[in-house]
Amino acid sequence: MPSSMGPRRRAVGLAMAVAIGASLTGGAALGQGGSVVMLSTQLAPEAEAQKMRDQILGGFAGSVDFVTADPGSVLIDTVRVEAQAGSGEVSLLGGLHGELSTLGAEGLLMDLSDVVADLDVSPGLLELGKLGTDQQLYIPWMQATYVMVARRDALEHLPAGADINALTWAQVTEWGANLQAATGERLLGFPAGADGLIHRFFQGFAYPAFTGGVNTHFADASGVAMWEWLKETWQYVNPQSTTYGFMQEPLLSGEVAVAWDHTARLIEALRTSPDDFVAFPVPAGPEGRAFMPVVAGLAIPATAPDPEGAKAVIRHLLDPATQGITLQQVSFFPVVTSEVQAELDAGTQAELDAVSAQISAADALPALLPIGLADQGGAYNDVFKSALAQIIVEGGDPATVLAGLAPTLQGIFDATGAPCWSPDPPSDGPCQVGTGG
Amino acid sequence: MTRAHTLETPPTTPARALDGPPVPEGPPPPRRKHTWRRLGNQALWYAAAIVLALFIALPIYLIFVSAVTPEADRYTYPKAIVPSALSFENISFFLRASGVVDAFWRSCIVGIITIVLALGIGAPAGYAIARYVFRGRDAYRLVILATRAFPVVILSIPLAVLYRQVGINDSVLGVALMHTTLALPFTVLITSSVFVSIPRDLEEAAQTLGCSPAQAFRRISLPLALPGLTAAAIFTWVLSWNDVFAAAILTLRNPTLPARILSSLTQAPLHFQFAAAFVMLVPSLVVIFIIRRYLLGLWGRVVK
């Protein structure tokens, strides 16, 4: 037996030597500098990251190491760690408004006011990047929003006289009922799974459309009316909706025929079979055609080793030509005011048309992303998800459930001191949650 | 080695049919009845074995099918159980993606270093707990487990700050050290129970025959403990291969495979996720199949 152990032990020794040697070379590779390290939660999916590296950053004169972070806490944690350690590796951040506002509130971002002069970013969006301060804490990078997509063969079941580009949410309910009557299946769909963005549906679409606000009408009569509508509509919604993250998949597989979601989470359906799907503006409620623009921004952490290099990358990414490539490659819409030229595939074109129709609708009602919630953004979203779980999944009475959740919501505003944001009227001091009749 | 026989099933135990209850001794019952009952029992045993195998194999098979489904059938619903054609475009897209192959090797190296460190530190500690009575032994046992009482989530930021200050952030060695720490409590507990099961008499007997304590350990206890150590190694490998949380916060430009997958695939279309799942599954299966030979083979050799 001892003789049989010999070669095996040698093999183990060899493996160890290889492992340790490799770990040392791995460490040595760290020392290589020269490129700007960009950490981003945006364009993180593999296919998009490739396009970012090859096409969007391809025209940049310097070298950028584009590192992706999952949408959890990795981006925020990494910046915090580098700040605490007193030295950083990341020079440029790409994130959502919510992520960057958390970092901005902690004082971890540089002021970028000097870069703004070189760019022609839309002034309204630039204002968002100030996070309520007089400093430019992030520069808007690209934007997206949410639209509706339907299977073309579902259009024949539209309620009589309905215009696909000017639907109301009440007509969607009727549409769902017609579809169920014709096919026997519940064919409306919402991304209400763990990875889904259903909370944005309430914050930027349903609440503003039905109540004209969000927080100031959270539990009042108009808020309750919105939930009553959803409860009625849900009988035509595919029950699998509570597992959906990205609506493009159930649309493509035929599990649902009409869906609401983020443009980036619908594009695969429109690209894969542009003849089978139509994109159209979100429906309107009694108060208007509410929609939420989503803004991704670029920021430089206070510990950035190469802020000048990072600023050069910002200028490149916001060049109208690059913005055109970005739209063409990854279907995120430009933030610059100048005309952007791009040859688009049928899917992106369909989304662009829907988004344009949505923005320019006579009854358009833009609703902002939450502002000033700092690290309470997740807790804020959870309030809306809890309401969905308690009212729709468990069948609770909307008025009772909302009255029960209102103190939690108020607690978030009191803790952060966040004033109301549009379309709620501005408030002095923390936003006051609307309750009762 | 003769004493080793007594550790194992003595040869006097009634022989068991491979797939059934003990075959009764004495005069056989009427032949036909016996055959029917045996067939019934066999069927039951096989059915149970098949259910158990399916429980493990079916999800793996479904991942495989989803990973090799060609683009045209990707969204057919309901999904086909047998793919219409084998297409490796998803898997090859994933493997060609920037940094995936590097991350794959990095994960392998982290796993190997973790096994070496965890067994190198954990096995002697387990041996000490099993063999020696010392003051505070019970407390020591508890304290080992207590290291797992602090969630990694809470430790992660201070740990990452420390790593940066020391300069081992974003390196294979750094991740391996973290995984070793996570694996050690289990390695110590598994190895100590392995050494407890090996009678001390064997080592003492070897010493009376001229072995030094170290030789007695190396020639007697270690070979007998090898299957147990192998089990600990499998456990350590799986823990290291699966860890995503520590790896995600401790690495940036040099991620391990799970960290690389987490950052780029949580939002990717399902077929890429399945391709990644398949690529992650294969090495674990290979490692388990290789190590499994030692797990079973060595017991067999000792019994013989």
Side-chain angles (χ1 to χ4, degrees):
Chain A
M1 190 175 263
S3 63
S4 73
M5 291 290 289
R8 194 177 301 142
R9 196 172 303 144
R10 268 201 293 281
V12 170
L14 194 68
M16 259 176 83
V18 167
I20 290 165
S23 76
L24 290 178
T25 49
L30 273 176
Q32 296 165 359
S35 58
V36 175
V37 179
M38 174 174 183
L39 182 63
S40 174
T41 57
Q42 302 304 296
L43 309 186
E46 198 54 61
E48 294 184 4
Q50 300 278 55
K51 288 174 180 164
M52 175 70 175
R53 292 186 186 110
D54 300 343
Q55 314 284 332
I56 301 173
L57 289 169
F60 180 63
S63 133
V64 181
D65 195 349
F66 183 69
V67 181
T68 56
D70 90 302
S73 61
V74 169
L75 177 107
I76 291 173
D77 284 349
T78 303
V79 177
R80 283 179 182 156
V81 163
E82 298 198 340
Q84 282 182 39
S87 77
E89 203 174 331
V90 178
S91 288
L92 183 60
L93 302 170
L96 285 179
H97 170 86
E99 293 159 336
L100 298 175
S101 62
T102 302
L103 292 171
E106 293 177 22
L108 301 177
L109 301 178
M110 274 185 195
D111 180 15
L112 300 175
S113 302
D114 56 328
V115 192
V116 174
D118 310 339
L119 313 169
D120 70 337
V121 178
S122 125
L125 293 173
L126 267 182
E127 195 57 39
L128 265 170
K130 292 187 175 169
L131 303 174
T133 67
D134 54 0
Q135 296 186 324
Q136 191 69 45
L137 292 174
Y138 77 80
I139 307 263
W141 169 19
M142 47 191 196
Q143 57 176 328
T145 186
Y146 300 76
V147 292
M148 302 285 292
V149 165
R151 294 191 71 89
R152 205 170 280 279
D153 51 20
L155 295 181
E156 61 184 277
H157 302 291
L158 269 171
D163 172 5
I164 185 84
N165 284 313
L167 285 180
T168 65
W169 286 113
Q171 284 172 327
V172 170
T173 313
E174 209 179 320
W175 193 4
N178 293 349
L179 283 167
Q180 193 186 29
T183 65
E185 289 177 59
R186 297 161 67 172
L187 289 175
L188 304 183
F190 287 97
D195 297 333
L197 294 169
I198 189 77
H199 46 281
R200 299 291 188 221
F201 173 72
F202 299 116
Q203 296 159 7
F205 296 81
Y207 260 111
F210 277 84
T211 71
V214 184
N215 307 306
T216 56
H217 294 282
F218 180 74
D220 71 5
S222 60
V224 171
M226 185 277 283
W227 284 101
E228 301 279 8
W229 162 78
L230 187 63
K231 211 169 176 175
E232 189 202 336
T233 308
W234 206 267
Q235 50 184 318
Y236 313 118
V237 170
N238 189 319
Q240 286 295 320
S241 283
T242 49
T243 66
Y244 293 150
F246 290 46
M247 292 312 296
Q248 56 200 10
E249 278 145 13
L251 278 168
L252 279 164
S253 69
E255 288 167 63
V256 307
V258 181
W260 167 96
D261 207 344
H262 190 287
T263 44
R265 297 172 169 218
L266 292 166
I267 190 68
E268 182 85 7
L270 292 163
R271 277 206 185 127
T272 308
S273 31
D275 298 335
D276 292 341
F277 294 99
V278 282
F280 54 99
V282 290
E287 299 290 327
R289 197 170 303 280
F291 64 92
M292 182 185 268
V294 178
V295 178
L298 299 163
I300 303 185
T303 47
D306 185 7
E308 287 314 310
K311 285 175 186 173
V313 180
I314 293 180
R315 288 187 197 100
H316 170 74
L317 289 174
L318 286 162
D319 185 85
T322 319
Q323 293 263 302
I325 298 174
T326 309
L327 171 62
Q328 183 189 9
Q329 295 292 330
V330 293
S331 305
F332 272 89
F333 302 100
V335 294
V336 292
T337 48
S338 48
E339 188 76 13
V340 163
Q341 302 290 332
E343 268 186 37
L344 302 180
D345 61 83
T348 310
Q349 188 62 50
E351 276 195 347
L352 184 61
D353 292 345
V355 172
S356 307
Q358 187 164 302
I359 293 172
S360 55
D363 52 356
L365 175 62
L368 290 187
L369 282 159
I371 300 170
L373 295 181
D375 60 348
Q376 295 287 305
Y380 180 72
N381 294 340
D382 286 344
V383 171
F384 293 90
K385 291 184 190 169
S386 301
L388 177 79
Q390 292 178 36
I391 296 173
I392 304 297
V393 181
E394 295 162 22
D397 170 53
T400 319
V401 170
L402 295 174
L405 287 169
T408 315
L409 190 57
Q410 188 63 55
I412 293 171
F413 290 118
D414 293 342
T416 57
C420 299
W421 56 82
S422 174
D424 281 324
S427 62
D428 295 325
C431 194
Q432 295 302 311
V433 173
T435 52
Chain B
M1 291 301 278
T2 40
R3 280 290 299 273
H5 280 301
T6 57
L7 291 176
E8 290 309 311
T9 322
T12 50
T13 310
R16 271 169 174 266
L18 267 179
D19 50 357
V23 178
E25 289 175 359
R31 195 156 177 247
R32 176 168 297 182
K33 199 176 167 192
H34 172 75
T35 311
W36 278 116
R37 202 168 67 192
R38 226 180 74 171
L39 275 179
N41 279 339
Q42 265 186 353
L44 264 179
W45 278 91
Y46 275 110
I50 287 169
V51 167
L52 203 64
L54 280 181
F55 179 73
I56 306 287
L58 197 63
I60 296 178
Y61 175 73
L62 289 178
I63 288 174
F64 172 74
V65 168
S66 303
V68 299
T69 299
E71 187 167 5
D73 302 348
R74 199 170 283 163
Y75 292 107
T76 49
Y77 180 77
K79 304 262 183 241
I81 288 293
V82 181
S84 56
L86 287 185
S87 145
F88 291 94
E89 69 178 300
N90 296 332
I91 293 175
S92 78
F93 174 86
F94 173 69
L95 287 177
R96 276 186 284 111
S98 143
V100 163
V101 173
D102 289 344
F104 177 89
W105 288 120
R106 232 174 264 132
S107 262
C108 291
I109 294 165
V110 167
I112 293 169
I113 301 182
T114 306
I115 288 182
V116 170
L117 290 180
L119 281 183
I121 302 170
Y127 186 76
I129 291 183
R131 281 286 187 268
Y132 301 104
V133 180
F134 51 90
R135 190 182 294 175
R137 185 170 79 153
D138 291 337
Y140 178 64
R141 266 195 184 145
L142 215 64
V143 167
I144 289 175
L145 269 186
T147 56
R148 290 309 302 260
F150 304 100
V152 190
V153 187
I154 294 173
L155 293 177
S156 66
I157 291 196
L159 194 72
V161 171
L162 185 74
Y163 265 47
R164 277 205 79 82
Q165 285 163 346
V166 176
I168 51 169
N169 61 306
D170 207 11
S171 71
V172 210
L173 191 65
V175 179
L177 284 176
M178 180 68 201
H179 289 175
T180 305
T181 315
L182 292 178
L184 261 180
F186 298 104
T187 321
V188 172
L189 287 183
I190 294 174
T191 51
S192 80
S193 60
V194 169
F195 286 120
V196 160
S197 70
I198 299 168
R200 198 176 188 157
D201 312 4
L202 290 179
E203 275 181 49
E204 284 169 359
Q207 286 181 40
T208 61
L209 295 174
C211 278
S212 70
Q215 279 174 323
F217 171 76
R218 198 162 56 85
R219 301 210 163 167
I220 306 297
S221 296
L222 196 61
L224 287 174
L226 212 53
L229 297 182
T230 312
I234 293 185
F235 182 85
T236 308
W237 170 270
V238 169
L239 184 141
S240 167
W241 186 260
N242 281 342
D243 166 73
V244 64
F245 193 85
I249 188 73
L250 296 178
T251 62
L252 183 67
R253 298 165 82 179
N254 298 302
T256 58
L257 192 56
R260 177 70 182 69
I261 287 176
L262 176 74
S263 75
S264 64
L265 281 180
T266 42
Q267 296 192 45
L270 276 177
H271 46 273
F272 291 143
Q273 297 190 12
F274 282 118
F278 184 66
V279 171
M280 278 224 65
L281 253 173
V282 171
S284 263
L285 288 180
V286 168
V287 166
I288 288 170
F289 275 115
I290 292 175
I291 294 188
R292 186 179 151 273
R293 283 181 39 226
Y294 295 90
L295 206 61
L296 302 177
L298 278 160
W299 275 126
R301 209 178 306 173
V302 171
V303 172
K304 184 179 72 187

